[in-house]
Amino acid sequence: MEKVLGELTKEELWRLFPIILCEHKAIWKENYFVEKTMIEHAIGSQNIIRINHFGSTAVPNLIAKPTIDILLEIKEDVDIVKFISSMRSIGYIYSEQPRKPAPHMMFMKGYTPTGFKEQVFHVHARYGGDWDELYFRDYLLKHPEIAEEYGKLKMELQKKYKHDRDGYTDAKTEFIKGITKLAREKM
């Protein structure tokens, strides 16, 4: 009997969903807009402060995991139970994120017990704020040479951390924090 995703250990999940990098695809922008519209319809635009496409798939010509990251800023008075239910109704898996900014939630789509399914989405739900991810994205958009450097770093790290998502993310942190600090100073 196959385990369901929620029953898999972190190591089993990492084997099933390795770090995969690929050349940038123009379709990611379109996929983001289609998903954005679906999210707005499901949870109601009146509950949303703003939605942004961030991460490597938002930066043309940047090597990326084929995962569209979406920063969904919601109003603080949103009914969280209804919000989670609405996201689940459009195919998202809910993941509580106690170490992430409030409301401590992430939603994932495109994961199956047999591996990735078509397009993968990660929706990072937060209350309104001044988020580092957007500074980092905007800096990479304005500085293609830094985006290229970041792409090379990711390719090196993918070789070492193909089946260790935490290790891969942790190894990028110093670079990301340095660029984000620079972006905040210059913007």
Short mmCIF file of all heavy atoms in Angstrom, two decimals, residues 65-128:
data_model
loop_
_atom_site.label_atom_id
_atom_site.label_comp_id
_atom_site.label_asym_id
_atom_site.label_seq_id
_atom_site.Cartn_x
_atom_site.Cartn_y
_atom_site.Cartn_z
N LYS A 65 14.32 26.26 -10.42
CA LYS A 65 13.47 25.10 -10.18
C LYS A 65 12.15 25.47 -10.85
O LYS A 65 11.70 26.61 -10.74
CB LYS A 65 13.23 24.89 -8.68
CG LYS A 65 14.43 24.41 -7.91
CD LYS A 65 14.07 23.99 -6.48
CE LYS A 65 13.13 24.88 -5.78
NZ LYS A 65 13.62 25.69 -4.69
N PRO A 66 11.51 24.56 -11.53
CA PRO A 66 10.26 24.90 -12.23
C PRO A 66 9.06 25.01 -11.28
O PRO A 66 8.02 24.41 -11.47
CB PRO A 66 10.11 23.75 -13.23
CG PRO A 66 10.81 22.60 -12.58
CD PRO A 66 11.95 23.19 -11.80
N THR A 67 9.26 25.79 -10.24
CA THR A 67 8.24 26.02 -9.22
C THR A 67 7.92 27.51 -9.19
O THR A 67 8.81 28.33 -8.98
CB THR A 67 8.75 25.59 -7.82
OG1 THR A 67 9.08 24.20 -7.87
CG2 THR A 67 7.73 25.86 -6.74
N ILE A 68 6.67 27.84 -9.40
CA ILE A 68 6.26 29.24 -9.37
C ILE A 68 5.94 29.62 -7.93
O ILE A 68 5.02 29.07 -7.32
CB ILE A 68 5.07 29.49 -10.31
CG1 ILE A 68 5.51 29.23 -11.76
CG2 ILE A 68 4.51 30.90 -10.12
CD1 ILE A 68 4.42 29.32 -12.78
N ASP A 69 6.74 30.54 -7.39
CA ASP A 69 6.53 31.04 -6.03
C ASP A 69 5.64 32.27 -6.10
O ASP A 69 5.90 33.20 -6.87
CB ASP A 69 7.86 31.41 -5.38
CG ASP A 69 8.64 30.18 -4.95
OD1 ASP A 69 8.14 29.46 -4.08
OD2 ASP A 69 9.74 29.96 -5.48
N ILE A 70 4.62 32.27 -5.25
CA ILE A 70 3.67 33.37 -5.20
C ILE A 70 3.61 33.88 -3.76
O ILE A 70 3.41 33.09 -2.83
CB ILE A 70 2.27 32.91 -5.66
CG1 ILE A 70 2.32 32.43 -7.12
CG2 ILE A 70 1.24 34.03 -5.48
CD1 ILE A 70 1.04 31.77 -7.61
N LEU A 71 3.80 35.18 -3.61
CA LEU A 71 3.63 35.82 -2.31
C LEU A 71 2.22 36.39 -2.28
O LEU A 71 1.89 37.30 -3.04
CB LEU A 71 4.67 36.92 -2.10
CG LEU A 71 4.55 37.71 -0.80
CD1 LEU A 71 4.66 36.81 0.43
CD2 LEU A 71 5.62 38.80 -0.75
N LEU A 72 1.39 35.82 -1.42
CA LEU A 72 -0.01 36.22 -1.30
C LEU A 72 -0.17 36.94 0.04
O LEU A 72 -0.12 36.32 1.10
CB LEU A 72 -0.91 34.98 -1.36
CG LEU A 72 -2.39 35.18 -1.03
CD1 LEU A 72 -3.04 36.18 -1.99
CD2 LEU A 72 -3.11 33.84 -1.08
N GLU A 73 -0.35 38.26 -0.04
CA GLU A 73 -0.55 39.04 1.17
C GLU A 73 -2.05 39.21 1.40
O GLU A 73 -2.75 39.75 0.54
CB GLU A 73 0.14 40.39 1.04
CG GLU A 73 1.65 40.26 0.97
CD GLU A 73 2.34 41.58 0.74
OE1 GLU A 73 2.48 42.35 1.71
OE2 GLU A 73 2.70 41.84 -0.42
N ILE A 74 -2.49 38.72 2.55
CA ILE A 74 -3.91 38.76 2.87
C ILE A 74 -4.16 39.74 4.02
O ILE A 74 -3.24 40.07 4.77
CB ILE A 74 -4.44 37.35 3.25
CG1 ILE A 74 -3.69 36.78 4.45
CG2 ILE A 74 -4.38 36.43 2.04
CD1 ILE A 74 -4.26 35.48 4.99
N LYS A 75 -5.40 40.17 4.12
CA LYS A 75 -5.79 41.09 5.19
C LYS A 75 -5.83 40.34 6.52
O LYS A 75 -6.13 39.14 6.56
CB LYS A 75 -7.12 41.73 4.87
CG LYS A 75 -7.04 42.62 3.65
CD LYS A 75 -8.35 43.28 3.33
CE LYS A 75 -8.16 44.18 2.09
NZ LYS A 75 -9.43 44.75 1.65
N GLU A 76 -5.55 41.05 7.60
CA GLU A 76 -5.47 40.40 8.92
C GLU A 76 -6.80 39.91 9.44
O GLU A 76 -6.83 39.06 10.33
CB GLU A 76 -4.78 41.34 9.92
CG GLU A 76 -3.31 41.52 9.57
CD GLU A 76 -2.51 42.18 10.67
OE1 GLU A 76 -2.86 42.03 11.85
OE2 GLU A 76 -1.52 42.84 10.33
N ASP A 77 -7.89 40.40 8.89
CA ASP A 77 -9.21 39.96 9.36
C ASP A 77 -9.79 38.81 8.55
O ASP A 77 -10.95 38.45 8.72
CB ASP A 77 -10.19 41.13 9.41
CG ASP A 77 -10.46 41.74 8.04
OD1 ASP A 77 -9.77 41.39 7.06
OD2 ASP A 77 -11.37 42.59 7.95
N VAL A 78 -8.99 38.21 7.69
CA VAL A 78 -9.46 37.08 6.88
C VAL A 78 -9.81 35.90 7.80
O VAL A 78 -9.08 35.61 8.75
CB VAL A 78 -8.37 36.65 5.86
CG1 VAL A 78 -8.67 35.31 5.23
CG2 VAL A 78 -8.21 37.70 4.79
N ASP A 79 -10.89 35.23 7.49
CA ASP A 79 -11.28 34.02 8.20
C ASP A 79 -10.32 32.91 7.75
O ASP A 79 -10.44 32.40 6.63
CB ASP A 79 -12.74 33.68 7.85
CG ASP A 79 -13.23 32.40 8.50
OD1 ASP A 79 -12.42 31.50 8.82
OD2 ASP A 79 -14.45 32.29 8.68
N ILE A 80 -9.38 32.56 8.61
CA ILE A 80 -8.30 31.63 8.24
C ILE A 80 -8.84 30.25 7.89
O ILE A 80 -8.37 29.63 6.93
CB ILE A 80 -7.23 31.55 9.36
CG1 ILE A 80 -6.53 32.91 9.53
CG2 ILE A 80 -6.22 30.45 9.08
CD1 ILE A 80 -5.75 33.40 8.32
N VAL A 81 -9.81 29.76 8.62
CA VAL A 81 -10.37 28.43 8.33
C VAL A 81 -10.99 28.42 6.93
O VAL A 81 -10.75 27.51 6.13
CB VAL A 81 -11.41 28.02 9.41
CG1 VAL A 81 -12.12 26.73 9.01
CG2 VAL A 81 -10.74 27.87 10.76
N LYS A 82 -11.76 29.45 6.62
CA LYS A 82 -12.37 29.55 5.28
C LYS A 82 -11.29 29.74 4.21
O LYS A 82 -11.38 29.17 3.12
CB LYS A 82 -13.36 30.72 5.26
CG LYS A 82 -14.14 30.81 3.98
CD LYS A 82 -15.18 31.92 4.05
CE LYS A 82 -15.91 32.01 2.72
NZ LYS A 82 -16.82 33.14 2.67
N PHE A 83 -10.27 30.53 4.52
CA PHE A 83 -9.16 30.77 3.59
C PHE A 83 -8.47 29.46 3.23
O PHE A 83 -8.26 29.14 2.06
CB PHE A 83 -8.18 31.76 4.22
CG PHE A 83 -6.91 31.95 3.44
CD1 PHE A 83 -6.90 32.54 2.19
CD2 PHE A 83 -5.69 31.54 3.97
CE1 PHE A 83 -5.72 32.72 1.48
CE2 PHE A 83 -4.52 31.71 3.27
CZ PHE A 83 -4.53 32.30 2.03
N ILE A 84 -8.13 28.66 4.24
CA ILE A 84 -7.47 27.37 4.00
C ILE A 84 -8.38 26.47 3.16
O ILE A 84 -7.93 25.84 2.20
CB ILE A 84 -7.07 26.69 5.33
CG1 ILE A 84 -5.96 27.49 6.02
CG2 ILE A 84 -6.63 25.24 5.10
CD1 ILE A 84 -5.67 27.06 7.45
N SER A 85 -9.65 26.43 3.50
CA SER A 85 -10.61 25.62 2.75
C SER A 85 -10.70 26.07 1.29
O SER A 85 -10.74 25.24 0.37
CB SER A 85 -11.98 25.71 3.41
OG SER A 85 -12.94 25.00 2.67
N SER A 86 -10.70 27.38 1.07
CA SER A 86 -10.76 27.91 -0.30
C SER A 86 -9.53 27.53 -1.10
O SER A 86 -9.63 27.18 -2.28
CB SER A 86 -10.92 29.43 -0.26
OG SER A 86 -12.14 29.78 0.34
N MET A 87 -8.36 27.58 -0.48
CA MET A 87 -7.13 27.19 -1.18
C MET A 87 -7.14 25.69 -1.48
O MET A 87 -6.73 25.28 -2.56
CB MET A 87 -5.89 27.59 -0.35
CG MET A 87 -5.66 29.10 -0.27
SD MET A 87 -5.33 29.87 -1.87
CE MET A 87 -3.66 29.28 -2.18
N ARG A 88 -7.61 24.90 -0.56
CA ARG A 88 -7.70 23.46 -0.80
C ARG A 88 -8.67 23.16 -1.94
O ARG A 88 -8.46 22.23 -2.71
CB ARG A 88 -8.14 22.74 0.47
CG ARG A 88 -7.02 22.61 1.49
CD ARG A 88 -7.48 21.86 2.73
NE ARG A 88 -6.34 21.51 3.57
CZ ARG A 88 -6.39 21.39 4.88
NH1 ARG A 88 -7.54 21.57 5.53
NH2 ARG A 88 -5.31 21.08 5.57
N SER A 89 -9.72 23.97 -2.06
CA SER A 89 -10.74 23.73 -3.10
C SER A 89 -10.18 23.90 -4.51
O SER A 89 -10.77 23.41 -5.47
CB SER A 89 -11.94 24.66 -2.89
OG SER A 89 -11.67 25.98 -3.31
N ILE A 90 -9.06 24.60 -4.64
CA ILE A 90 -8.43 24.77 -5.96
C ILE A 90 -7.15 23.93 -6.09
O ILE A 90 -6.28 24.21 -6.90
CB ILE A 90 -8.20 26.25 -6.32
CG1 ILE A 90 -7.35 26.98 -5.28
CG2 ILE A 90 -9.52 26.96 -6.56
CD1 ILE A 90 -6.93 28.39 -5.69
N GLY A 91 -7.06 22.89 -5.24
CA GLY A 91 -6.01 21.89 -5.42
C GLY A 91 -4.75 22.07 -4.60
O GLY A 91 -3.76 21.37 -4.82
N TYR A 92 -4.76 22.98 -3.63
CA TYR A 92 -3.56 23.22 -2.83
C TYR A 92 -3.50 22.33 -1.60
O TYR A 92 -4.52 22.04 -0.98
CB TYR A 92 -3.47 24.69 -2.41
CG TYR A 92 -2.93 25.57 -3.51
CD1 TYR A 92 -3.78 26.21 -4.39
CD2 TYR A 92 -1.56 25.72 -3.68
CE1 TYR A 92 -3.28 27.00 -5.42
CE2 TYR A 92 -1.06 26.51 -4.71
CZ TYR A 92 -1.91 27.14 -5.57
OH TYR A 92 -1.43 27.92 -6.58
N ILE A 93 -2.28 21.94 -1.25
CA ILE A 93 -1.98 21.23 -0.01
C ILE A 93 -1.55 22.30 0.98
O ILE A 93 -0.68 23.13 0.69
CB ILE A 93 -0.83 20.22 -0.21
CG1 ILE A 93 -1.21 19.16 -1.25
CG2 ILE A 93 -0.43 19.58 1.11
CD1 ILE A 93 -0.01 18.34 -1.74
N TYR A 94 -2.15 22.29 2.16
CA TYR A 94 -1.82 23.27 3.20
C TYR A 94 -0.65 22.79 4.02
O TYR A 94 -0.57 21.62 4.40
CB TYR A 94 -3.04 23.48 4.09
CG TYR A 94 -2.76 24.22 5.39
CD1 TYR A 94 -2.37 25.55 5.37
CD2 TYR A 94 -2.88 23.58 6.61
CE1 TYR A 94 -2.11 26.23 6.55
CE2 TYR A 94 -2.63 24.25 7.80
CZ TYR A 94 -2.24 25.57 7.76
OH TYR A 94 -1.98 26.24 8.93
N SER A 95 0.28 23.70 4.31
CA SER A 95 1.43 23.39 5.16
C SER A 95 1.61 24.52 6.17
O SER A 95 1.89 25.65 5.78
CB SER A 95 2.69 23.24 4.30
OG SER A 95 3.82 23.06 5.11
N GLU A 96 1.42 24.18 7.44
CA GLU A 96 1.66 25.17 8.48
C GLU A 96 3.16 25.47 8.53
O GLU A 96 3.98 24.57 8.41
CB GLU A 96 1.19 24.64 9.84
CG GLU A 96 1.23 25.69 10.91
CD GLU A 96 0.64 25.22 12.24
OE1 GLU A 96 0.17 24.07 12.31
OE2 GLU A 96 0.66 26.00 13.18
N GLN A 97 3.50 26.74 8.67
CA GLN A 97 4.90 27.17 8.67
C GLN A 97 5.18 27.99 9.92
O GLN A 97 5.28 29.22 9.87
CB GLN A 97 5.19 28.00 7.42
CG GLN A 97 4.95 27.28 6.11
CD GLN A 97 6.00 26.25 5.82
OE1 GLN A 97 7.19 26.54 5.83
NE2 GLN A 97 5.57 25.03 5.56
N PRO A 98 5.32 27.34 11.08
CA PRO A 98 5.45 28.09 12.34
C PRO A 98 6.67 29.00 12.43
O PRO A 98 6.68 29.95 13.19
CB PRO A 98 5.49 26.99 13.40
CG PRO A 98 5.78 25.73 12.68
CD PRO A 98 5.34 25.90 11.27
N ARG A 99 7.70 28.75 11.61
CA ARG A 99 8.90 29.60 11.66
C ARG A 99 8.87 30.71 10.61
O ARG A 99 9.81 31.47 10.49
CB ARG A 99 10.15 28.75 11.46
CG ARG A 99 10.43 27.86 12.66
CD ARG A 99 11.86 27.33 12.62
NE ARG A 99 11.83 25.94 13.03
CZ ARG A 99 12.30 24.93 12.34
NH1 ARG A 99 12.86 25.12 11.18
NH2 ARG A 99 12.25 23.71 12.80
N LYS A 100 7.80 30.79 9.85
CA LYS A 100 7.67 31.81 8.81
C LYS A 100 6.79 32.95 9.32
O LYS A 100 6.06 32.79 10.29
CB LYS A 100 7.06 31.19 7.54
CG LYS A 100 7.87 30.06 6.95
CD LYS A 100 9.11 30.55 6.29
CE LYS A 100 9.88 29.37 5.67
NZ LYS A 100 10.99 29.78 4.89
N PRO A 101 6.81 34.09 8.62
CA PRO A 101 5.99 35.22 9.07
C PRO A 101 4.49 34.88 9.10
O PRO A 101 4.02 34.05 8.33
CB PRO A 101 6.26 36.30 8.02
CG PRO A 101 7.58 35.93 7.42
CD PRO A 101 7.63 34.43 7.46
N ALA A 102 3.78 35.57 9.98
CA ALA A 102 2.33 35.35 10.12
C ALA A 102 1.64 35.62 8.80
O ALA A 102 2.05 36.51 8.06
CB ALA A 102 1.78 36.26 11.22
N PRO A 103 0.65 34.84 8.48
CA PRO A 103 -0.09 33.88 9.31
C PRO A 103 0.47 32.46 9.31
O PRO A 103 -0.26 31.51 9.60
CB PRO A 103 -1.49 33.92 8.71
CG PRO A 103 -1.26 34.17 7.25
CD PRO A 103 -0.05 35.07 7.20
N HIS A 104 1.75 32.30 9.02
CA HIS A 104 2.45 31.02 9.16
C HIS A 104 1.89 29.91 8.27
O HIS A 104 1.69 28.78 8.70
CB HIS A 104 2.45 30.55 10.62
CG HIS A 104 2.79 31.62 11.59
ND1 HIS A 104 4.06 32.15 11.67
CD2 HIS A 104 2.04 32.28 12.51
CE1 HIS A 104 4.07 33.09 12.60
NE2 HIS A 104 2.87 33.19 13.12
N MET A 105 1.64 30.24 7.00
CA MET A 105 1.04 29.26 6.09
C MET A 105 1.74 29.25 4.74
O MET A 105 2.20 30.28 4.25
CB MET A 105 -0.44 29.61 5.83
CG MET A 105 -1.32 29.52 7.03
SD MET A 105 -3.05 29.81 6.63
CE MET A 105 -3.07 31.55 6.35
N MET A 106 1.77 28.06 4.16
CA MET A 106 2.23 27.87 2.80
C MET A 106 1.29 26.86 2.16
O MET A 106 0.77 25.97 2.83
CB MET A 106 3.66 27.36 2.76
CG MET A 106 4.24 27.26 1.38
SD MET A 106 6.01 26.94 1.49
CE MET A 106 6.21 25.86 0.12
N PHE A 107 1.07 27.04 0.87
CA PHE A 107 0.21 26.13 0.11
C PHE A 107 1.00 25.64 -1.10
O PHE A 107 1.71 26.42 -1.73
CB PHE A 107 -1.07 26.85 -0.34
CG PHE A 107 -1.90 27.31 0.81
CD1 PHE A 107 -1.69 28.55 1.39
CD2 PHE A 107 -2.89 26.50 1.33
CE1 PHE A 107 -2.45 28.99 2.47
CE2 PHE A 107 -3.66 26.91 2.41
CZ PHE A 107 -3.44 28.17 2.98
N MET A 108 0.87 24.35 -1.40
CA MET A 108 1.61 23.75 -2.50
C MET A 108 0.67 23.04 -3.44
O MET A 108 -0.30 22.41 -3.00
CB MET A 108 2.66 22.80 -1.96
CG MET A 108 3.69 23.49 -1.08
SD MET A 108 4.63 22.32 -0.07
CE MET A 108 3.41 21.86 1.14
N LYS A 109 0.98 23.11 -4.71
CA LYS A 109 0.19 22.43 -5.74
C LYS A 109 1.16 21.82 -6.74
O LYS A 109 2.18 22.42 -7.07
CB LYS A 109 -0.72 23.44 -6.44
CG LYS A 109 -1.67 22.84 -7.46
CD LYS A 109 -2.35 23.92 -8.28
CE LYS A 109 -3.72 24.21 -7.78
NZ LYS A 109 -4.45 25.16 -8.65
N GLY A 110 0.82 20.63 -7.22
CA GLY A 110 1.65 19.98 -8.23
C GLY A 110 2.44 18.80 -7.69
O GLY A 110 3.30 18.24 -8.38
N TYR A 111 2.17 18.42 -6.45
CA TYR A 111 2.85 17.28 -5.83
C TYR A 111 1.88 16.10 -5.75
O TYR A 111 0.73 16.28 -5.37
CB TYR A 111 3.30 17.64 -4.41
CG TYR A 111 4.37 18.70 -4.36
CD1 TYR A 111 4.03 20.06 -4.34
CD2 TYR A 111 5.71 18.36 -4.32
CE1 TYR A 111 5.01 21.04 -4.29
CE2 TYR A 111 6.70 19.33 -4.28
CZ TYR A 111 6.34 20.67 -4.25
OH TYR A 111 7.31 21.63 -4.21
N THR A 112 2.37 14.93 -6.14
CA THR A 112 1.55 13.71 -6.06
C THR A 112 2.38 12.60 -5.40
O THR A 112 3.61 12.73 -5.31
CB THR A 112 1.12 13.22 -7.46
OG1 THR A 112 2.26 12.64 -8.11
CG2 THR A 112 0.54 14.35 -8.31
N PRO A 113 1.75 11.52 -4.97
CA PRO A 113 2.50 10.42 -4.37
C PRO A 113 3.50 9.76 -5.33
O PRO A 113 4.35 8.98 -4.91
CB PRO A 113 1.41 9.42 -3.96
CG PRO A 113 0.18 10.25 -3.80
CD PRO A 113 0.30 11.33 -4.84
N THR A 114 3.42 10.09 -6.62
CA THR A 114 4.36 9.52 -7.59
C THR A 114 5.36 10.55 -8.12
O THR A 114 6.13 10.25 -9.02
CB THR A 114 3.60 8.89 -8.78
OG1 THR A 114 2.76 9.89 -9.38
CG2 THR A 114 2.74 7.72 -8.32
N GLY A 115 5.33 11.75 -7.58
CA GLY A 115 6.28 12.79 -8.02
C GLY A 115 5.57 14.06 -8.45
O GLY A 115 4.38 14.24 -8.20
N PHE A 116 6.32 14.91 -9.12
CA PHE A 116 5.77 16.19 -9.57
C PHE A 116 4.69 15.98 -10.63
O PHE A 116 4.77 15.07 -11.45
CB PHE A 116 6.86 17.07 -10.18
CG PHE A 116 7.91 17.52 -9.21
CD1 PHE A 116 9.22 17.08 -9.33
CD2 PHE A 116 7.61 18.39 -8.18
CE1 PHE A 116 10.21 17.50 -8.44
CE2 PHE A 116 8.57 18.81 -7.28
CZ PHE A 116 9.87 18.37 -7.42
N LYS A 117 3.70 16.85 -10.63
CA LYS A 117 2.63 16.83 -11.63
C LYS A 117 2.64 18.19 -12.33
O LYS A 117 2.40 19.21 -11.70
CB LYS A 117 1.28 16.61 -10.95
CG LYS A 117 0.10 16.70 -11.89
CD LYS A 117 -1.19 16.68 -11.10
CE LYS A 117 -2.33 17.07 -12.01
NZ LYS A 117 -3.51 17.43 -11.28
N GLU A 118 2.90 18.19 -13.61
CA GLU A 118 2.85 19.41 -14.42
C GLU A 118 3.50 20.58 -13.71
O GLU A 118 4.59 20.47 -13.20
CB GLU A 118 1.40 19.70 -14.82
CG GLU A 118 0.77 18.61 -15.65
CD GLU A 118 -0.72 18.79 -15.84
OE1 GLU A 118 -1.23 19.90 -15.62
OE2 GLU A 118 -1.37 17.81 -16.24
N GLN A 119 2.81 21.71 -13.64
CA GLN A 119 3.37 22.91 -13.02
C GLN A 119 3.22 22.85 -11.50
O GLN A 119 2.17 22.51 -10.99
CB GLN A 119 2.66 24.17 -13.55
CG GLN A 119 3.20 25.47 -13.00
CD GLN A 119 4.64 25.71 -13.40
OE1 GLN A 119 4.95 25.88 -14.56
NE2 GLN A 119 5.52 25.74 -12.42
N VAL A 120 4.31 23.20 -10.80
CA VAL A 120 4.31 23.23 -9.34
C VAL A 120 4.20 24.69 -8.90
O VAL A 120 4.83 25.58 -9.47
CB VAL A 120 5.60 22.59 -8.77
CG1 VAL A 120 5.67 22.73 -7.26
CG2 VAL A 120 5.67 21.12 -9.18
N PHE A 121 3.37 24.91 -7.87
CA PHE A 121 3.19 26.25 -7.30
C PHE A 121 3.42 26.18 -5.79
O PHE A 121 3.00 25.21 -5.14
CB PHE A 121 1.75 26.76 -7.53
CG PHE A 121 1.40 26.99 -8.96
CD1 PHE A 121 0.81 25.98 -9.71
CD2 PHE A 121 1.63 28.22 -9.56
CE1 PHE A 121 0.47 26.18 -11.04
CE2 PHE A 121 1.30 28.43 -10.89
CZ PHE A 121 0.72 27.41 -11.63
N HIS A 122 4.05 27.22 -5.25
CA HIS A 122 4.15 27.43 -3.81
C HIS A 122 3.55 28.79 -3.54
O HIS A 122 4.04 29.80 -4.06
CB HIS A 122 5.61 27.44 -3.35
CG HIS A 122 6.26 26.10 -3.36
ND1 HIS A 122 7.59 25.94 -3.07
CD2 HIS A 122 5.79 24.85 -3.62
CE1 HIS A 122 7.91 24.66 -3.15
NE2 HIS A 122 6.83 23.98 -3.49
N VAL A 123 2.51 28.84 -2.72
CA VAL A 123 1.90 30.10 -2.34
C VAL A 123 2.27 30.37 -0.88
O VAL A 123 1.93 29.59 0.01
CB VAL A 123 0.36 30.08 -2.50
CG1 VAL A 123 -0.25 31.38 -1.99
CG2 VAL A 123 0.00 29.86 -3.98
N HIS A 124 3.01 31.44 -0.68
CA HIS A 124 3.45 31.85 0.65
C HIS A 124 2.45 32.90 1.13
O HIS A 124 2.43 34.01 0.63
CB HIS A 124 4.86 32.44 0.58
CG HIS A 124 5.84 31.52 -0.08
ND1 HIS A 124 6.72 30.74 0.63
CD2 HIS A 124 6.05 31.23 -1.39
CE1 HIS A 124 7.45 30.02 -0.21
NE2 HIS A 124 7.05 30.29 -1.45
N ALA A 125 1.60 32.51 2.09
CA ALA A 125 0.56 33.41 2.58
C ALA A 125 1.09 34.20 3.77
O ALA A 125 1.64 33.62 4.71
CB ALA A 125 -0.67 32.61 2.99
N ARG A 126 0.94 35.51 3.70
CA ARG A 126 1.41 36.40 4.76
C ARG A 126 0.45 37.57 4.89
O ARG A 126 -0.29 37.88 3.97
CB ARG A 126 2.80 36.95 4.44
CG ARG A 126 3.83 35.85 4.30
CD ARG A 126 5.21 36.42 4.31
NE ARG A 126 6.16 35.36 4.03
CZ ARG A 126 7.29 35.55 3.40
NH1 ARG A 126 7.63 36.75 2.98
NH2 ARG A 126 8.11 34.55 3.19
N TYR A 127 0.55 38.22 6.03
CA TYR A 127 -0.15 39.49 6.16
C TYR A 127 0.68 40.54 5.43
O TYR A 127 1.86 40.30 5.11
CB TYR A 127 -0.35 39.85 7.63
CG TYR A 127 -1.25 38.88 8.36
CD1 TYR A 127 -0.88 38.31 9.56
CD2 TYR A 127 -2.50 38.55 7.83
CE1 TYR A 127 -1.71 37.42 10.22
CE2 TYR A 127 -3.35 37.65 8.48
CZ TYR A 127 -2.93 37.09 9.67
OH TYR A 127 -3.77 36.21 10.31
N GLY A 128 0.10 41.69 5.14
CA GLY A 128 0.81 42.73 4.40
C GLY A 128 2.12 43.11 5.08
O GLY A 128 2.21 43.12 6.30
#
